[in-house]
Amino acid sequence: MKNRLEELRKEKGIKQEELAAAMEVSRQTIGSLENGRYNPSLTLAFKLARYFGLSIEEIFIYQEENE
């Protein structure tokens, strides 16, 4: 699953550490999300969407395996 997390975070002018603290996760979790190595839990996806004032679909882009 692709996402716009790094782009949105940089637009807001915040560091990974700051976003991690706001989401109550580690900086490594944010880094892994941004690099596509980790997909968020539903709870974390909702928290991120609320934080950025967007829908989950505006942050996370689902692609079928065969696309």
Side-chain angles (χ1 to χ4, degrees), residues 41-66:
S41 67
L42 192 53
T43 301
L44 181 54
F46 272 108
K47 286 174 77 172
L48 286 162
R50 184 171 293 149
Y51 182 83
F52 287 108
L54 300 170
S55 69
I56 290 174
E57 293 86 356
E58 290 174 300
I59 300 173
F60 298 96
I61 300 98
Y62 175 74
Q63 293 180 314
E64 293 287 340
E65 292 294 323
N66 57 2

Side-chain angles (χ1 to χ4, degrees), residues 14-43:
I14 60 171
K15 297 179 180 178
Q16 284 183 341
E17 292 86 357
E18 295 170 296
L19 182 57
M23 297 297 108
E24 300 176 320
V25 298
S26 69
R27 186 206 54 78
Q28 290 83 358
T29 297
I30 299 300
S32 292
L33 284 168
E34 289 182 354
N35 293 321
R37 293 189 306 259
Y38 171 71
N39 290 327
S41 67
L42 192 53
T43 301

